[in-house]
Structure formats: C-alpha cells, structure tokens
Amino acid sequence: MSPHRNGRSDAVMTSVLPPHVPTSEVLRGLLAEAPAEGVTFGWLLDRLHKRSFGVVLLLLALIGLTPGTSPVVGLLLTIPALQMILARETPAFPRTIMSRRFSTQRLVRMVDRTVPVLRRMETVIRPRWKLPFETTTRVVGLVVLVLAGVFFVPIPLSNVVPAVTIMLIALAYLEEDGVLLAVSLAMAAAVLIATAITVWQSVEAVRSMFF
C-alpha cells in the first residue's frame, strides 16, 4: 500500500473519530441551550448523551458523602448501574424524576461551581488507554452495582470510601481515562474485600456473644 493511501486512510479515521471534548466544556454548553423558563432532569440527560451515565454517577456519589443518605443513594445507584450493564444509551428514571423541573438559574449556579473543579481535574485526568465504549460501560455498571451494596452496610462512615471510589470511576468514565479507571477498579476491589472482612468479623462477634 502506498504512503499516500496510508495518509489518506489516517485522515479519514481522524475525521470519523471526533476529538474528545472535556466534560467541563460539555456542561458549559448546556447553559447555551437551556431554555429560560427552566429545565427538567430528562432534558439534562437528553443533552448529555453518552456523558449522562457518568454525570449521574458523579452526582449520586457526591450526595452519598452526606451522612444519612446511604440507603437512598445505594438504591438509586442500582438504577443506572443495571442500565449500564444492559448497555443502554442513556439512563432512564421514573417519570416523576425525569419531569422534575428546576430553574435555569439553579443550573447556572451548579455549573459555575462544578466547572472550575472539573477543569483543575482535567489537567490530570485525560483520555488514556481508551477501551471499547460498550465494554467499559458494562464493566463500570457491574462494579457500581456491587459497590452500591456497601451503602447498606450499617457501619458508621462506611459510605465515604465507596462514594469516593464511585466518583473516581465516574470521572474516569467521563474523560475516557483508562489509567484512572484501572486504578479506580483496583480501589473498588479493595473496598469490597475490606467490607466483606468487616461484615464477616461483625457476624462472628455476634455469634460468639450468643453461642
């Protein structure tokens, strides 16, 4: 094959595969499209397209850091996790959640607070070791589904580590960073092993008290 043909093939591949757009820029773009009368959760998911799963996981993980929210967050996490395992394009929630409307100004305030933090993270987190999108989606969904179970463990502060782990997984998924994803999955495995050991020791302690 001639060098000219190789060069033409590379050019075609470059034109087919669009460059990665940082999540901070995607969120900024939402403000330009947001209707003045307000937006719904469903509208946000439609505009985020393939980023919607990552953003939902990131938001739920942030909420999961709040004390007293563990069971609710654990339950909500199972919804996008199962849909990721099934390789759905975007997450789907009950109609009451999807139609929930809030003001555009609230969206502006949220984006204004989030974007500077994301931009700092994006100097380190970037596309590396790219994996097939559908395979990555299924793996992330499976890991998040298992981690969601940790939120139901009745141990003080047991929500913090899995919430931080899911945040890292979500950021790696959003920015297509295979390096961070590998580190996050290893962290998830450590969390699950530590949780299993803790639960086993608690069960054994209870058994020794009564038997």
Side-chain angles (χ1 to χ4, degrees), residues 2 79 97 206:
S2 68
I79 299 175
I97 296 177
V206 172

Side-chain angles (χ1 to χ4, degrees), residues 19-35:
H20 175 78
V21 179
T23 304
S24 60
E25 295 302 319
V26 173
L27 293 179
R28 276 293 179 198
L30 285 177
L31 301 184
E33 301 178 21

Side-chain angles (χ1 to χ4, degrees), residues 40-42 92-101:
T40 64
F41 189 56
F93 288 88
R95 185 175 299 178
T96 53
I97 296 177
M98 297 290 281
S99 60
R100 182 71 179 271
R101 182 175 295 275

